[in-house]
Amino acid sequence: MVLERAWRVGLRSWKPTNSLFRVTPRNFSITSPATAARPRWQRYLWRTSYFGLGVGVIYGLDRQFNASAIGRNLRALWACALITADYKLNFTPEKSDQIPELHERVANIMFNLFTSNGGLYIKIGQAIGANAAFLPRPMQVKFASLFDDAPQIPYSDVLSVFTSEFGRPPSGPDGMFEYFDEQAVASASIAQVHKARMWPEPGEAAGEGKWVAVKVQKPAVAKQTEWDLAAYRLVMYLFEKGFELPVYFVVDFVSDHLRRELDFELEAANAQRTAAYVAADPRLSKTVYIPRVFPALTTKRIMTAEWIDGVRLSDRAGILRLMGDLPGAAAPLRGGTRAIMEPMVELFSAQMFLWGWVHCDPHPGNVLVRPHPSAPRTPQLVLLDHGLYVQLTEEFRRDWCSVWEGLLAGEWGIVEGVTRKWGVGVPDLFASAVLMRPVRLGRGRPQREAEERGKRLEEMTNYERSVVMKAKLKGFLTDTDRMPKVLIFLLRNMRMVQGNNKTLNSPVNRIKITGFSASRALTRSTPHASLRTRLHEYYHYLVFRTVMLSLDVAFLVARTRQWLFRVLGLGRDGMGFEDEIERSVRGLAKSSFGMDVGADAFDG
């Protein structure tokens, strides 16, 4: 202690003369005479230069060796900070009139983040956009234009992936294929597809090998995945804590399924399993086709499947010409657009209610229509992209069937019982989301009450309506631990099928087909039940069939009105059945929740 005190006293009293180094009184740093003589602005300039150089080196290394994973995360965290700060500062009663502009700014920040980062961010953005109807109007508009499209990676990257996976190039004397097109025919966020021709089999001449579609995962995706999912986890956590909305509970489930999409061996297995289900169904086997995969030419990052020529459902004009609804087809296929949508709705209904094995990405780009190989005048659906599936438990599958049958047969007690079991606090809203049509459970709620509530909402300020909507959405999920996470993907699936039907002018009664499938699944799943149980099921099935007649009448009225519009030249197609349903849903959202839902929020 004495020595320490003496050292401090001596240090304060010591005055350097003309030594090589100088100890400054402020920070005791050792500096050279030349450095001490520099002006302060020069010292700051050098420090700024060193800092910029360090940042540049880190940026270059991250981009070159880490697929910009760190930069993407920093961009995500910055966007999250901007959104949080903007809402905290500007979402106030005093700034109620500026809330639409606030939503517009946030929508732009989120859209720019997803499109700039690409990769899994596009998938996450699409998952959010699938339920855009519950978001503010500016976000509905932005997410409607969030497509899974991305620039192609150069052929040198494709070559490196093939060398890593197979130890051989895609083509050439020692190549995996006899011919491989270096230009991709399609490119998405995580992979791109090339057309190739397999080597001829024994007995085939050169050039007679099968044409195949080769899906190649982009090299950067594997490096970015865990970083992206970690950022997604953090962002959802911050939003739950900052905005007090139950969103974090889905993180593990969604992250797990996004990881599965990156395993192309798993995707090939999914396709084979679905093909087996389709082949075992006498009706679907004639109308639906799953392209054959080649396991010997498939790895975790490369998948080879049969090449199929057809018209994508996203090409609306091409589909209408193919089916003879527009001029230009030399030999249109029979059945019109009904022959496309009917098997599509039946396929996804069978997946949900019978197989318990559901394709969760049926957007129009993943569905082809072609002439049936055995019946050239008959259309056949080809389902692509089998990376994202969910497996339903038997208990959930039966509950899901019961909800659908109960909704359409007016058995509100069954519907409310199942939804409460799932931790849903607002069964009416859930039922409306399932059917994509307004549903009010029970008979004791007069329409007048809804109208009066709507008037009160319209009299509120933007801030007050937002607070009410937030409170109702929080009350929607009362127990997130009990909610089956698969509902996230099932509702996405049904919304996309609904959007596909709407795009083709609503040629089929989607709700009726889906409801019949759910009811049949319930009766078929109890073959060994007691006689009393089976009689009870069949009785409810008869009641259900009777109630469904009203749907037939509504559908017939909508189709007749469409026909009259075309004949009288009053419009392209008039209001289709799905358009009528959407108009009712938008009215319910406006009157009950104050949501301004756009006409395109339900497009597939």
Side-chain angles (χ1 to χ4, degrees), residues 29-76:
S29 63
I30 301 176
T31 60
S32 68
T35 304
R38 288 176 184 165
R40 180 175 297 178
W41 69 269
Q42 286 189 1
R43 295 200 300 270
Y44 287 154
L45 178 62
W46 277 103
R47 292 170 185 171
T48 304
S49 301
Y50 288 140
F51 177 77
L53 178 63
V55 171
V57 170
I58 294 174
Y59 172 80
L61 292 175
D62 180 46
R63 183 168 183 174
Q64 182 68 27
F65 301 105
N66 201 34
S68 299
I70 296 175
R72 289 154 54 85
N73 271 8
L74 292 177
R75 194 181 295 125

Short mmCIF file of all heavy atoms in Angstrom, two decimals, residues 29-76:
data_model
loop_
_atom_site.label_atom_id
_atom_site.label_comp_id
_atom_site.label_asym_id
_atom_site.label_seq_id
_atom_site.Cartn_x
_atom_site.Cartn_y
_atom_site.Cartn_z
N SER A 29 -1.25 7.86 -22.10
CA SER A 29 -0.89 7.08 -23.29
C SER A 29 0.48 7.48 -23.75
O SER A 29 0.92 8.62 -23.57
CB SER A 29 -1.91 7.33 -24.40
OG SER A 29 -1.88 8.68 -24.78
N ILE A 30 1.18 6.54 -24.32
CA ILE A 30 2.53 6.78 -24.82
C ILE A 30 2.46 7.11 -26.28
O ILE A 30 1.98 6.31 -27.08
CB ILE A 30 3.42 5.55 -24.58
CG1 ILE A 30 3.47 5.23 -23.09
CG2 ILE A 30 4.81 5.77 -25.13
CD1 ILE A 30 4.25 3.99 -22.77
N THR A 31 2.85 8.26 -26.71
CA THR A 31 2.78 8.70 -28.11
C THR A 31 4.16 9.20 -28.54
O THR A 31 4.96 9.65 -27.73
CB THR A 31 1.76 9.83 -28.28
OG1 THR A 31 2.17 10.93 -27.47
CG2 THR A 31 0.36 9.39 -27.88
N SER A 32 4.38 9.11 -29.83
CA SER A 32 5.65 9.62 -30.38
C SER A 32 5.54 11.12 -30.55
O SER A 32 4.45 11.67 -30.63
CB SER A 32 5.92 8.95 -31.73
OG SER A 32 4.97 9.37 -32.67
N PRO A 33 6.66 11.82 -30.62
CA PRO A 33 6.62 13.29 -30.82
C PRO A 33 5.91 13.67 -32.11
O PRO A 33 5.18 14.64 -32.16
CB PRO A 33 8.10 13.67 -30.86
CG PRO A 33 8.80 12.59 -30.13
CD PRO A 33 8.03 11.35 -30.39
N ALA A 34 6.10 12.84 -33.19
CA ALA A 34 5.46 13.17 -34.47
C ALA A 34 3.95 13.09 -34.36
O ALA A 34 3.21 13.92 -34.89
CB ALA A 34 5.97 12.23 -35.56
N THR A 35 3.46 12.05 -33.63
CA THR A 35 2.01 11.89 -33.46
C THR A 35 1.43 13.02 -32.62
O THR A 35 0.36 13.55 -32.90
CB THR A 35 1.69 10.55 -32.81
OG1 THR A 35 2.26 9.51 -33.60
CG2 THR A 35 0.20 10.34 -32.66
N ALA A 36 2.16 13.38 -31.58
CA ALA A 36 1.65 14.44 -30.72
C ALA A 36 1.56 15.77 -31.44
O ALA A 36 0.74 16.62 -31.12
CB ALA A 36 2.55 14.57 -29.48
N ALA A 37 2.42 15.93 -32.48
CA ALA A 37 2.44 17.19 -33.20
C ALA A 37 1.34 17.31 -34.23
O ALA A 37 1.06 18.38 -34.74
CB ALA A 37 3.80 17.38 -33.89
N ARG A 38 0.67 16.18 -34.56
CA ARG A 38 -0.38 16.22 -35.58
C ARG A 38 -1.61 16.96 -35.06
O ARG A 38 -1.99 16.82 -33.90
CB ARG A 38 -0.80 14.81 -35.99
CG ARG A 38 0.24 14.08 -36.82
CD ARG A 38 -0.23 12.67 -37.09
NE ARG A 38 0.77 11.90 -37.80
CZ ARG A 38 0.74 10.57 -37.91
NH1 ARG A 38 -0.23 9.90 -37.33
NH2 ARG A 38 1.69 9.95 -38.58
N PRO A 39 -2.29 17.67 -35.96
CA PRO A 39 -3.56 18.29 -35.56
C PRO A 39 -4.60 17.22 -35.21
O PRO A 39 -4.53 16.09 -35.68
CB PRO A 39 -3.97 19.08 -36.81
CG PRO A 39 -2.72 19.23 -37.61
CD PRO A 39 -1.88 18.04 -37.31
N ARG A 40 -5.57 17.62 -34.42
CA ARG A 40 -6.59 16.66 -33.98
C ARG A 40 -7.39 16.11 -35.15
O ARG A 40 -7.72 14.95 -35.19
CB ARG A 40 -7.53 17.35 -32.99
CG ARG A 40 -8.63 16.44 -32.47
CD ARG A 40 -9.46 17.13 -31.41
NE ARG A 40 -8.65 17.45 -30.26
CZ ARG A 40 -9.11 18.11 -29.18
NH1 ARG A 40 -10.38 18.50 -29.16
NH2 ARG A 40 -8.33 18.38 -28.16
N TRP A 41 -7.67 16.93 -36.17
CA TRP A 41 -8.48 16.45 -37.29
C TRP A 41 -7.78 15.36 -38.07
O TRP A 41 -8.40 14.44 -38.60
CB TRP A 41 -8.87 17.61 -38.21
CG TRP A 41 -7.70 18.22 -38.99
CD1 TRP A 41 -6.92 19.26 -38.61
CD2 TRP A 41 -7.23 17.78 -40.26
NE1 TRP A 41 -5.99 19.53 -39.55
CE2 TRP A 41 -6.15 18.64 -40.60
CE3 TRP A 41 -7.60 16.79 -41.15
CZ2 TRP A 41 -5.43 18.51 -41.78
CZ3 TRP A 41 -6.91 16.65 -42.32
CH2 TRP A 41 -5.82 17.50 -42.64
N GLN A 42 -6.43 15.43 -38.10
CA GLN A 42 -5.68 14.39 -38.80
C GLN A 42 -5.75 13.06 -38.03
O GLN A 42 -5.88 11.99 -38.62
CB GLN A 42 -4.23 14.81 -38.99
CG GLN A 42 -4.01 15.86 -40.04
CD GLN A 42 -2.54 16.09 -40.33
OE1 GLN A 42 -1.67 15.44 -39.73
NE2 GLN A 42 -2.26 17.02 -41.24
N ARG A 43 -5.64 13.17 -36.70
CA ARG A 43 -5.74 11.94 -35.90
C ARG A 43 -7.11 11.29 -36.08
O ARG A 43 -7.23 10.07 -36.24
CB ARG A 43 -5.50 12.25 -34.43
CG ARG A 43 -4.09 12.75 -34.15
CD ARG A 43 -3.72 12.59 -32.69
NE ARG A 43 -4.60 13.34 -31.81
CZ ARG A 43 -4.37 14.61 -31.44
NH1 ARG A 43 -3.33 15.26 -31.93
NH2 ARG A 43 -5.19 15.23 -30.62
N TYR A 44 -8.21 12.10 -36.07
CA TYR A 44 -9.55 11.55 -36.29
C TYR A 44 -9.69 10.96 -37.69
O TYR A 44 -10.35 9.92 -37.89
CB TYR A 44 -10.60 12.64 -36.07
CG TYR A 44 -10.79 13.02 -34.63
CD1 TYR A 44 -11.27 14.29 -34.28
CD2 TYR A 44 -10.50 12.12 -33.61
CE1 TYR A 44 -11.43 14.65 -32.95
CE2 TYR A 44 -10.66 12.47 -32.28
CZ TYR A 44 -11.12 13.72 -31.95
OH TYR A 44 -11.29 14.06 -30.64
N LEU A 45 -9.06 11.62 -38.66
CA LEU A 45 -9.12 11.11 -40.03
C LEU A 45 -8.45 9.75 -40.14
O LEU A 45 -8.98 8.83 -40.79
CB LEU A 45 -8.46 12.12 -40.99
CG LEU A 45 -8.43 11.70 -42.47
CD1 LEU A 45 -9.86 11.54 -43.00
CD2 LEU A 45 -7.67 12.74 -43.30
N TRP A 46 -7.28 9.61 -39.50
CA TRP A 46 -6.59 8.31 -39.54
C TRP A 46 -7.40 7.23 -38.85
O TRP A 46 -7.50 6.10 -39.32
CB TRP A 46 -5.21 8.43 -38.89
CG TRP A 46 -4.16 8.96 -39.83
CD1 TRP A 46 -3.64 10.21 -39.88
CD2 TRP A 46 -3.53 8.22 -40.87
NE1 TRP A 46 -2.73 10.33 -40.88
CE2 TRP A 46 -2.64 9.12 -41.53
CE3 TRP A 46 -3.63 6.92 -41.34
CZ2 TRP A 46 -1.83 8.74 -42.60
CZ3 TRP A 46 -2.84 6.54 -42.41
CH2 TRP A 46 -1.96 7.43 -43.03
N ARG A 47 -7.97 7.56 -37.70
CA ARG A 47 -8.78 6.57 -36.98
C ARG A 47 -10.00 6.15 -37.80
O ARG A 47 -10.35 4.97 -37.86
CB ARG A 47 -9.24 7.14 -35.63
CG ARG A 47 -8.09 7.34 -34.65
CD ARG A 47 -8.55 8.14 -33.44
NE ARG A 47 -7.43 8.44 -32.55
CZ ARG A 47 -7.51 9.26 -31.51
NH1 ARG A 47 -8.67 9.86 -31.23
NH2 ARG A 47 -6.46 9.48 -30.76
N THR A 48 -10.63 7.14 -38.44
CA THR A 48 -11.78 6.82 -39.30
C THR A 48 -11.37 5.93 -40.46
O THR A 48 -12.08 4.99 -40.84
CB THR A 48 -12.43 8.11 -39.82
OG1 THR A 48 -12.80 8.94 -38.72
CG2 THR A 48 -13.66 7.79 -40.67
N SER A 49 -10.19 6.21 -41.01
CA SER A 49 -9.70 5.40 -42.13
C SER A 49 -9.44 3.97 -41.70
O SER A 49 -9.80 3.01 -42.40
CB SER A 49 -8.43 6.03 -42.72
OG SER A 49 -8.66 7.34 -43.17
N TYR A 50 -8.80 3.81 -40.53
CA TYR A 50 -8.55 2.46 -40.03
C TYR A 50 -9.85 1.70 -39.77
O TYR A 50 -9.99 0.51 -40.07
CB TYR A 50 -7.73 2.52 -38.73
CG TYR A 50 -6.29 2.92 -38.95
CD1 TYR A 50 -5.64 3.78 -38.06
CD2 TYR A 50 -5.57 2.45 -40.04
CE1 TYR A 50 -4.32 4.16 -38.25
CE2 TYR A 50 -4.24 2.82 -40.24
CZ TYR A 50 -3.62 3.68 -39.35
OH TYR A 50 -2.32 4.05 -39.56
N PHE A 51 -10.83 2.44 -39.19
CA PHE A 51 -12.11 1.79 -38.91
C PHE A 51 -12.80 1.38 -40.21
O PHE A 51 -13.32 0.27 -40.34
CB PHE A 51 -13.01 2.77 -38.14
CG PHE A 51 -14.39 2.24 -37.86
CD1 PHE A 51 -14.60 1.31 -36.85
CD2 PHE A 51 -15.48 2.66 -38.62
CE1 PHE A 51 -15.87 0.81 -36.61
CE2 PHE A 51 -16.74 2.17 -38.39
CZ PHE A 51 -16.94 1.24 -37.37
N GLY A 52 -12.80 2.29 -41.20
CA GLY A 52 -13.41 1.95 -42.49
C GLY A 52 -12.72 0.79 -43.16
O GLY A 52 -13.37 -0.08 -43.76
N LEU A 53 -11.38 0.75 -43.07
CA LEU A 53 -10.63 -0.35 -43.65
C LEU A 53 -11.00 -1.67 -42.97
O LEU A 53 -11.20 -2.70 -43.63
CB LEU A 53 -9.13 -0.10 -43.53
CG LEU A 53 -8.21 -1.20 -44.07
CD1 LEU A 53 -8.42 -1.37 -45.56
CD2 LEU A 53 -6.75 -0.87 -43.76
N GLY A 54 -11.14 -1.64 -41.63
CA GLY A 54 -11.52 -2.86 -40.90
C GLY A 54 -12.91 -3.34 -41.28
O GLY A 54 -13.12 -4.54 -41.51
N VAL A 55 -13.84 -2.39 -41.38
CA VAL A 55 -15.19 -2.76 -41.79
C VAL A 55 -15.18 -3.34 -43.20
O VAL A 55 -15.86 -4.33 -43.50
CB VAL A 55 -16.13 -1.54 -41.71
CG1 VAL A 55 -17.48 -1.86 -42.35
CG2 VAL A 55 -16.32 -1.12 -40.27
N GLY A 56 -14.40 -2.73 -44.09
CA GLY A 56 -14.32 -3.23 -45.47
C GLY A 56 -13.75 -4.63 -45.55
O GLY A 56 -14.24 -5.47 -46.32
N VAL A 57 -12.72 -4.90 -44.74
CA VAL A 57 -12.13 -6.24 -44.74
C VAL A 57 -13.15 -7.26 -44.23
O VAL A 57 -13.32 -8.34 -44.82
CB VAL A 57 -10.86 -6.25 -43.87
CG1 VAL A 57 -10.38 -7.69 -43.65
CG2 VAL A 57 -9.76 -5.43 -44.54
N ILE A 58 -13.84 -6.93 -43.14
CA ILE A 58 -14.85 -7.84 -42.60
C ILE A 58 -15.96 -8.07 -43.61
O ILE A 58 -16.42 -9.21 -43.82
CB ILE A 58 -15.42 -7.29 -41.27
CG1 ILE A 58 -14.34 -7.27 -40.21
CG2 ILE A 58 -16.60 -8.14 -40.81
CD1 ILE A 58 -14.76 -6.60 -38.91
N TYR A 59 -16.40 -6.99 -44.27
CA TYR A 59 -17.45 -7.11 -45.28
C TYR A 59 -17.01 -8.02 -46.43
O TYR A 59 -17.76 -8.88 -46.89
CB TYR A 59 -17.82 -5.72 -45.82
CG TYR A 59 -18.76 -5.74 -47.00
CD1 TYR A 59 -20.13 -5.91 -46.81
CD2 TYR A 59 -18.28 -5.59 -48.30
CE1 TYR A 59 -21.00 -5.92 -47.89
CE2 TYR A 59 -19.15 -5.62 -49.39
CZ TYR A 59 -20.50 -5.78 -49.18
OH TYR A 59 -21.36 -5.81 -50.25
N GLY A 60 -15.77 -7.82 -46.89
CA GLY A 60 -15.27 -8.64 -48.00
C GLY A 60 -15.16 -10.10 -47.62
O GLY A 60 -15.55 -10.99 -48.40
N LEU A 61 -14.63 -10.38 -46.42
CA LEU A 61 -14.51 -11.76 -45.98
C LEU A 61 -15.88 -12.41 -45.80
O LEU A 61 -16.09 -13.57 -46.16
CB LEU A 61 -13.72 -11.82 -44.67
CG LEU A 61 -12.24 -11.43 -44.75
CD1 LEU A 61 -11.62 -11.41 -43.36
CD2 LEU A 61 -11.48 -12.40 -45.65
N ASP A 62 -16.83 -11.64 -45.22
CA ASP A 62 -18.19 -12.17 -45.03
C ASP A 62 -18.84 -12.49 -46.38
O ASP A 62 -19.49 -13.53 -46.53
CB ASP A 62 -19.01 -11.13 -44.27
CG ASP A 62 -20.44 -11.59 -44.01
OD1 ASP A 62 -20.63 -12.74 -43.59
OD2 ASP A 62 -21.37 -10.79 -44.25
N ARG A 63 -18.64 -11.61 -47.35
CA ARG A 63 -19.25 -11.83 -48.65
C ARG A 63 -18.58 -12.97 -49.41
O ARG A 63 -19.26 -13.76 -50.08
CB ARG A 63 -19.17 -10.54 -49.47
CG ARG A 63 -19.85 -10.65 -50.82
CD ARG A 63 -20.00 -9.30 -51.47
NE ARG A 63 -20.70 -9.40 -52.73
CZ ARG A 63 -21.08 -8.36 -53.46
NH1 ARG A 63 -20.82 -7.13 -53.03
NH2 ARG A 63 -21.72 -8.53 -54.60
N GLN A 64 -17.27 -13.08 -49.29
CA GLN A 64 -16.53 -14.07 -50.07
C GLN A 64 -16.65 -15.47 -49.48
O GLN A 64 -16.82 -16.46 -50.20
CB GLN A 64 -15.05 -13.67 -50.15
CG GLN A 64 -14.19 -14.61 -50.99
CD GLN A 64 -14.54 -14.55 -52.46
OE1 GLN A 64 -15.03 -13.53 -52.94
NE2 GLN A 64 -14.30 -15.63 -53.19
N PHE A 65 -16.56 -15.57 -48.15
CA PHE A 65 -16.48 -16.89 -47.53
C PHE A 65 -17.70 -17.26 -46.68
O PHE A 65 -17.82 -18.40 -46.24
CB PHE A 65 -15.22 -16.97 -46.64
CG PHE A 65 -13.95 -16.73 -47.40
CD1 PHE A 65 -13.27 -15.53 -47.28
CD2 PHE A 65 -13.44 -17.71 -48.24
CE1 PHE A 65 -12.09 -15.32 -47.99
CE2 PHE A 65 -12.26 -17.52 -48.94
CZ PHE A 65 -11.59 -16.31 -48.82
N ASN A 66 -18.59 -16.30 -46.43
CA ASN A 66 -19.72 -16.58 -45.54
C ASN A 66 -21.05 -16.22 -46.18
O ASN A 66 -22.07 -16.11 -45.50
CB ASN A 66 -19.54 -15.81 -44.22
CG ASN A 66 -20.35 -16.41 -43.09
OD1 ASN A 66 -20.54 -17.62 -43.02
ND2 ASN A 66 -20.83 -15.55 -42.20
N ALA A 67 -21.08 -16.04 -47.52
CA ALA A 67 -22.31 -15.74 -48.27
C ALA A 67 -23.06 -14.54 -47.69
O ALA A 67 -24.29 -14.51 -47.68
CB ALA A 67 -23.21 -16.97 -48.29
N SER A 68 -22.31 -13.55 -47.18
CA SER A 68 -22.89 -12.30 -46.65
C SER A 68 -23.85 -12.56 -45.49
O SER A 68 -24.77 -11.77 -45.26
CB SER A 68 -23.62 -11.52 -47.76
OG SER A 68 -22.72 -11.15 -48.78
N ALA A 69 -23.65 -13.65 -44.76
CA ALA A 69 -24.59 -13.99 -43.68
C ALA A 69 -24.60 -12.94 -42.59
O ALA A 69 -25.67 -12.58 -42.06
CB ALA A 69 -24.22 -15.36 -43.10
N ILE A 70 -23.43 -12.43 -42.21
CA ILE A 70 -23.38 -11.42 -41.16
C ILE A 70 -24.06 -10.14 -41.63
O ILE A 70 -24.86 -9.52 -40.90
CB ILE A 70 -21.92 -11.15 -40.74
CG1 ILE A 70 -21.30 -12.41 -40.12
CG2 ILE A 70 -21.85 -9.99 -39.75
CD1 ILE A 70 -19.83 -12.26 -39.79
N GLY A 71 -23.76 -9.72 -42.86
CA GLY A 71 -24.38 -8.51 -43.40
C GLY A 71 -25.89 -8.62 -43.49
O GLY A 71 -26.62 -7.66 -43.21
N ARG A 72 -26.37 -9.80 -43.87
CA ARG A 72 -27.82 -10.01 -43.96
C ARG A 72 -28.46 -9.91 -42.58
O ARG A 72 -29.54 -9.33 -42.42
CB ARG A 72 -28.10 -11.37 -44.58
CG ARG A 72 -27.77 -11.46 -46.05
CD ARG A 72 -27.45 -12.90 -46.46
NE ARG A 72 -28.49 -13.83 -46.11
CZ ARG A 72 -29.57 -14.07 -46.86
NH1 ARG A 72 -29.71 -13.45 -48.00
NH2 ARG A 72 -30.47 -14.94 -46.48
N ASN A 73 -27.79 -10.45 -41.57
CA ASN A 73 -28.33 -10.37 -40.22
C ASN A 73 -28.36 -8.94 -39.71
O ASN A 73 -29.33 -8.50 -39.08
CB ASN A 73 -27.50 -11.23 -39.27
CG ASN A 73 -27.99 -12.66 -39.20
OD1 ASN A 73 -28.86 -13.04 -39.97
ND2 ASN A 73 -27.44 -13.45 -38.31
N LEU A 74 -27.28 -8.21 -39.97
CA LEU A 74 -27.25 -6.81 -39.54
C LEU A 74 -28.35 -6.01 -40.23
O LEU A 74 -28.98 -5.14 -39.62
CB LEU A 74 -25.88 -6.21 -39.84
CG LEU A 74 -24.71 -6.76 -39.01
CD1 LEU A 74 -23.39 -6.15 -39.46
CD2 LEU A 74 -24.93 -6.50 -37.52
N ARG A 75 -28.60 -6.31 -41.50
CA ARG A 75 -29.67 -5.62 -42.23
C ARG A 75 -31.03 -5.93 -41.60
O ARG A 75 -31.89 -5.05 -41.47
CB ARG A 75 -29.64 -6.05 -43.70
CG ARG A 75 -30.48 -5.17 -44.61
CD ARG A 75 -30.42 -5.66 -46.04
NE ARG A 75 -29.08 -5.54 -46.59
CZ ARG A 75 -28.39 -6.55 -47.12
NH1 ARG A 75 -28.92 -7.76 -47.19
NH2 ARG A 75 -27.19 -6.35 -47.60
N ALA A 76 -31.21 -7.20 -41.21
CA ALA A 76 -32.48 -7.59 -40.59
C ALA A 76 -32.66 -6.91 -39.23
O ALA A 76 -33.76 -6.42 -38.91
CB ALA A 76 -32.53 -9.11 -40.44
#
